[in-house]
Amino acid sequence: MPHTHTRHGSSGDDLCSTDEVKIFKDEGDREDDKISSENLLVEEKSSLIDLTESEEKGQKIARPDHSPVFNKIDTHTHSFNMGYLVSPYSYANGTPSGLPVTMANKMGLPPFFCHNADPLTTPPPAHCGIPPYQLDPKTMGLTRPALYPFAGGQYPYPMLSSDMSQVASWHTPSVYSASSFRTPYPSSLPINTTLSSDFPFRFSPSLLPSVHATSHHVLNAHSAIVGVSSKPDCGAQDTTTNNRYPRNLDTKNSSSTQSNDSKESLNDKKKPHIKKPLNAFMLYMKEMRAKVVAECTLKESAAINQILGRRWHALGREEQAKYYELARRERQLHMQMYPDWSSRTNASRGKKRKRKQETNDGGNNMKKCRARFGLDQQNQWCKPCRRKKKCIRYMEAMNENGPTEDGSGIDEHESQLSDDDDDDYDEDKLGGSCGSADETNKIVDDDTESLNQSMSSPGCLSGLSSLQSPSTTMSLASPINMNTNPATNVLYPATSNALLIVSADQPTIQQRSTSTSGSSSGSTSSISTTPNTSSTVSPVTGTTVPPTNSAHERAMMLGNRFSHLGMGLSPPVVNTGSSKPEPFFQPHSTVCNNAIFSMPSIGNSSVNHSSMPNISRNPIGANPRDINNPLSINQLTKRREYQNVESIEVSDTQTIVAHAATSIIHHVAAHGYRANHSLLSNNFSQHFHQQLTDHMETAKRSESTILSVSTHAVSNSECHKASDPQSNASSKTPSAGASETGVISVS
DNA sequence: GGACCTTTGAAGCTA
DNA sequence: TAGCTTCAAAGGTCC
């Protein structure tokens, strides 16, 4: 376990992580430290959990005063170095991974606070990263109280000049008045009483951030105290405090002021709810949520969390290690503050537990409609789910083969199926190819409903709620993953001649393609085709054509495919009548030979698609933990665009696709395409455009009818901006758009 | 006002 | 010990 980088070479305190140490390094030393510490972090990450456990178990063991952190502080007393509190982590890869907001908040630091700069007037350097919430707290829904409600000359930190005074100030109520600040932990806790004795240990600077934490927006954000936290009798913790943890948590200690039983009983009723310490992911979420919200204009936390979940997985180990470390510190601090607290306390108190126990009775792990079908297929939801009521299918599954308790659920369910799901039945049944066979079988076994409508059910997909319909989902990652739609006889080779852009930091397609069934994890990209027959939209041409599932599917797939240019692009191959589908796109040699586009079938126009196994179901999206699964985000963010897809003649699929694709490419070529992974260049776009144009010319000669497909851009790879007026405006133009992040959608 | 949704991780409980 | 369950944050939505 590395704990070096302390200038004084103090004994290693596990609390002293390398990232933390880096903060105390001078600018000139950071590079070297970064290199070494990164390597150390990798090692640290591997043992992070064990370390955490061991440390937490032994946290009550008295520790020497020679904490390396203190030593570090000693070395920086001249500058009142609390910079580490602001940005203990570097941004080597540009990923904003600064100090989690929680910690920063607890530290009571302004966002712009830097150890060597004016905390309030000097913006942080770019590498420090500015938490997104700083951009526009109001619009992001994050309340942000005054960082330091001091008057100009009241800012406490500058007054500190010595180590101890500095440290002491962190714990001196006079400095952070309880009435003025919200501390993450109650000031009245016994810990204050023991401060003099074991302060160096208990309030090691590594922990100080949380201990002395004063007001901060995140603390507001996570006003941790539930129940009495807002009660006036909670004293300083109520209106003025923003504690995550209650001040009067320990009733034993606070009971001294409440002598009579009535007060005690009342106090028990008002006993504050001590929340669990945030884990690494929660810390990450708190930090990144605002950013995602700002990027995506999504406000629904469920959707945001899905994005964050994916990003979390996409996060480097080093980055994650930081959050693990912070989470460990949170736990440590929480444990120190509330030694008697146990998660059991919270687990046994809430109604939530009761409710969940009820819903989990019967061992039903079925996903509810929302999770099964996603937001874009609400037409497949049961009625209660549409109304956010209890899922009757869920309840039905709970009762296995038996009827629901009142029977209404079944009836409604059946009615629902007959009403809304019949249309999907054939297609799902025929072409319903989604997910692995195993998963499909599993679903079939679980619920007969799956036959009717949930061949695409994300239930087989472990319930990523916002996934595209898995029934029509296929993965680009799998070279043999093709979705043959019998209804239209149009083959969609996942990899045929399409260009698949693989992130350099992601496993290659070949690697991923080895897995052709079952888990979706590791899928780099996917194509989602959602034969949503209910969608009706006016075409750009204004003509109204009866909706055709395949056409809709075509368009949506196209949109999906192009919307994932940054992750993968696989235009459809149209079966022109011959037994073998004709490749729609001819990859350019420059692309085929480009290692970036490494892909088994790229450039191989002779791929025998017909001989390819008919992967029944694309596992993409099956695993909500699949960080590379774009479907969840896609569905969350682009379904509205898809709903604008107008019907298209099946026979015109090729032309339509080409038309739409060309429009997109036009835009890409014109504006340049900056894919998520920065792998697409204008040259590529132009080339691809040329390829499309050539095919279009060919198609036009053979096709008589052309229906147009409107296209518009989506300005984010993960998030649609349907609510964005600009995006909406652009959606009305029959041109494709590419955002800066390189995602294009077609509607 | 509270449940629900959604994510991952931690912790407790149970078999 | 493995598996399951609950909770932590967040905010829109629904009842």
Side-chain angles (χ1 to χ4, degrees):
Chain A
M1 176 61 191
H3 3 256
T4 55
H5 305 284
T6 58
R7 290 188 173 184
H8 295 248
S10 61
S11 61
D13 184 343
D14 288 338
L15 293 176
C16 176
S17 63
T18 56
D19 51 356
E20 203 177 30
V21 175
K22 285 186 292 185
I23 304 306
F24 291 91
K25 291 289 184 178
D26 293 338
E27 288 295 338
D29 299 336
R30 289 182 180 177
E31 289 300 326
D32 294 338
D33 288 339
K34 183 183 297 182
I35 296 172
S36 60
S37 62
E38 283 179 354
N39 295 331
L40 294 173
L41 271 175
V42 175
E43 180 182 356
E44 179 183 12
K45 171 73 183 301
S46 60
S47 60
L48 183 61
I49 303 301
D50 295 337
L51 173 66
T52 301
E53 292 176 354
S54 62
E55 284 187 352
E56 289 178 351
K57 289 179 180 178
Q59 65 163 337
K60 291 183 179 180
I61 300 173
R63 300 187 185 184
D65 294 347
H66 50 79
S67 170
V69 182
F70 272 87
N71 291 332
K72 282 181 266 182
I73 292 178
D74 291 341
T75 63
H76 295 273
T77 55
H78 61 280
S79 62
F80 178 62
N81 193 334
M82 286 184 68
Y84 79 100
L85 298 176
V86 176
S87 178
Y89 308 118
S90 62
Y91 295 81
N93 57 356
T95 302
S97 60
L99 184 68
V101 177
T102 302
M103 298 300 294
N105 293 336
K106 290 178 179 178
M107 299 165 191
L109 292 175
F112 292 163
F113 183 88
C114 292
H115 63 87
N116 57 351
D118 184 338
L120 296 177
T121 60
T122 303
H127 71 276
C128 287
I130 300 174
Y133 49 80
Q134 298 173 0
L135 300 176
D136 189 358
K138 291 181 179 179
T139 58
M140 297 174 188
L142 292 179
T143 59
R144 186 169 191 168
L147 296 172
Y148 289 95
F150 294 101
Q154 290 179 313
Y155 187 68
Y157 290 161
M159 295 185 293
L160 302 174
S161 60
S162 63
D163 299 342
M164 295 310 297
S165 62
Q166 178 186 62
V167 173
S169 65
W170 292 345
H171 311 284
T172 301
S174 60
V175 175
Y176 294 110
S177 171
S179 61
S180 300
F181 296 100
R182 298 188 177 188
T183 60
Y185 301 96
S187 60
S188 62
L189 285 177
I191 193 168
N192 287 337
T193 60
T194 61
L195 181 64
S196 59
S197 61
D198 58 354
F199 165 74
F201 151 62
R202 299 190 63 159
F203 293 91
S204 172
S206 64
L207 298 176
L208 284 175
S210 296
V211 174
H212 88 297
T214 58
S215 65
H216 208 281
H217 57 286
V218 167
L219 291 179
N220 270 341
H222 62 131
S223 56
I225 306 171
V226 175
V228 301
S229 60
S230 60
K231 300 292 183 181
D233 59 349
C234 292
Q237 76 178 13
D238 48 19
T239 58
T240 58
T241 58
N242 196 12
N243 298 345
R244 168 168 169 75
Y245 307 108
R247 293 180 179 275
N248 298 325
L249 163 73
D250 193 347
T251 56
K252 294 179 180 178
N253 294 279
S254 61
S255 61
S256 60
T257 58
Q258 299 174 356
S259 57
N260 58 58
D261 295 340
S262 61
K263 285 187 177 181
E264 288 182 353
S265 62
L266 181 62
N267 189 35
D268 291 339
K269 293 179 181 180
K270 295 181 178 180
K271 187 176 182 179
H273 172 54
I274 303 169
K275 293 188 177 181
K276 294 173 62 177
L278 302 184
N279 60 35
F281 179 70
M282 287 296 160
L283 291 170
Y284 173 78
M285 278 209 311
K286 288 184 72 65
E287 181 183 359
M288 300 301 295
R289 172 179 296 278
K291 181 180 180 180
V292 174
V293 171
E295 291 177 354
C296 305
T297 68
L298 288 174
K299 291 183 178 180
E300 190 174 1
S301 292
I304 297 296
N305 291 346
Q306 284 192 336
I307 295 170
L308 289 172
R310 292 182 57 198
R311 290 189 177 186
W312 171 255
H313 284 288
L315 210 61
R317 289 191 174 187
E318 293 81 2
E319 297 295 326
Q320 286 187 354
K322 299 169 186 173
Y323 292 97
Y324 280 112
E325 174 66 16
L326 291 171
R328 182 177 66 83
R329 295 175 189 173
E330 286 255 341
R331 288 196 303 272
Q332 287 180 332
L333 181 59
H334 189 279
M335 192 177 295
Q336 291 174 359
M337 301 304 293
Y338 314 112
D340 296 334
W341 180 88
S342 172
S343 62
R344 181 183 179 182
T345 304
N346 292 0
S348 60
R349 66 177 286 281
K351 298 176 181 177
K352 222 172 184 179
R353 176 182 176 88
K354 201 173 183 179
R355 168 175 49 81
K356 291 200 172 184
Q357 283 179 341
E358 291 175 354
T359 58
N360 288 326
D361 287 343
N364 174 34
N365 291 326
M366 257 198 62
K367 295 293 181 182
K368 297 177 181 178
C369 291
R370 179 188 176 98
R372 300 181 70 185
F373 303 106
L375 296 173
D376 69 331
Q377 293 191 352
Q378 296 185 21
N379 63 319
Q380 296 186 14
W381 293 10
C382 64
K383 289 178 180 177
C385 275
R386 292 177 183 178
R387 298 161 57 191
K388 290 197 172 185
K389 304 278 284 187
K390 274 193 173 182
C391 178
I392 58 175
R393 293 171 184 166
Y394 186 83
M395 296 171 63
E396 178 187 5
M398 286 175 55
N399 294 324
E400 287 292 334
N401 298 328
T404 55
E405 292 179 359
D406 57 356
S408 60
I410 291 291
D411 295 337
E412 190 175 14
H413 178 201
E414 292 175 350
S415 173
Q416 175 68 23
L417 289 176
S418 61
D419 291 341
D420 298 330
D421 302 325
D422 289 348
D423 293 341
D424 298 330
Y425 173 75
D426 290 340
E427 185 163 356
D428 285 340
K429 184 179 180 181
L430 295 174
S433 54
C434 155
S436 65
D438 293 340
E439 288 175 338
T440 303
N441 294 336
K442 187 184 300 179
I443 284 301
V444 169
D445 294 339
D446 291 343
D447 190 356
T448 56
E449 166 192 13
S450 60
L451 278 176
N452 293 337
Q453 54 181 301
S454 288
M455 299 278 294
S456 61
S457 171
C460 69
L461 309 174
S462 71
L464 185 56
S465 69
S466 48
L467 295 175
Q468 288 279 358
S469 174
S471 63
T472 56
T473 301
M474 59 183 181
S475 173
L476 282 172
S478 176
I480 61 174
N481 194 354
M482 304 173 66
N483 186 359
T484 303
N485 188 336
T488 60
N489 196 25
V490 176
L491 190 62
Y492 299 97
T495 61
S496 63
N497 296 310
L499 303 174
L500 184 62
I501 292 84
V502 180
S503 174
D505 59 352
Q506 292 179 344
T508 62
I509 290 302
Q510 289 90 334
Q511 290 173 321
R512 299 171 183 274
S513 63
T514 56
S515 175
T516 59
S517 64
S519 173
S520 65
S521 59
S523 298
T524 298
S525 59
S526 64
I527 296 173
S528 176
T529 61
T530 305
N532 189 343
T533 60
S534 63
S535 298
T536 58
V537 183
S538 300
V540 173
T541 58
T543 59
T544 300
V545 180
T548 304
N549 292 344
S550 58
H552 185 194
E553 181 177 346
R554 227 47 86 250
M556 286 191 296
M557 192 179 85
L558 177 67
N560 251 347
R561 293 186 175 188
F562 282 95
S563 67
H564 293 93
L565 273 173
M567 303 178 68
L569 185 148
S570 179
V573 168
V574 176
N575 188 343
T576 57
S578 61
S579 60
K580 291 184 178 180
E582 179 178 319
F584 193 81
F585 296 108
Q586 287 291 343
H588 194 272
S589 59
T590 57
V591 174
C592 298
N593 297 333
N594 191 331
I596 295 175
F597 305 118
S598 60
M599 186 172 167
S601 61
I602 285 181
N604 183 9
S605 61
S606 63
V607 172
N608 186 359
H609 300 292
S610 62
S611 64
M612 283 183 162
N614 182 12
I615 304 304
S616 61
R617 190 173 284 227
N618 183 354
I620 295 300
N623 186 358
R625 291 180 171 85
D626 180 6
I627 63 173
N628 297 310
N629 176 14
L631 295 181
S632 62
I633 304 307
N634 203 31
Q635 186 213 30
L636 282 171
T637 60
K638 297 181 174 57
R639 58 186 176 86
R640 291 175 186 170
E641 286 86 358
Y642 301 152
Q643 291 172 355
N644 294 328
V645 176
E646 183 52 355
S647 59
I648 303 169
E649 288 290 345
V650 174
S651 60
D652 299 328
T653 299
Q654 180 177 359
T655 302
I656 293 165
V657 168
H659 182 74
T662 301
S663 299
I664 295 170
I665 296 303
H666 269 297
H667 187 96
V668 170
H671 300 286
Y673 184 80
R674 284 181 286 175
N676 290 340
H677 309 297
S678 301
L679 297 176
L680 292 176
S681 64
N682 287 338
N683 291 335
F684 166 70
S685 299
Q686 292 170 0
H687 167 73
F688 187 59
H689 177 203
Q690 183 61 43
Q691 294 291 318
L692 281 172
T693 304
D694 294 341
H695 280 282
M696 276 191 62
E697 294 299 328
T698 302
K700 285 180 179 178
R701 288 193 289 270
S702 60
E703 300 291 343
S704 59
T705 304
I706 296 175
L707 297 179
S708 64
V709 176
S710 64
T711 61
H712 75 273
V714 171
S715 59
N716 191 282
S717 61
E718 291 179 332
C719 316
H720 79 86
K721 293 193 174 182
S723 60
D724 187 350
Q726 294 179 352
S727 298
N728 292 335
S730 62
S731 65
K732 296 178 180 178
T733 61
S735 61
S739 67
E740 291 184 355
T741 54
V743 173
I744 305 169
S745 69
V746 178
S747 66

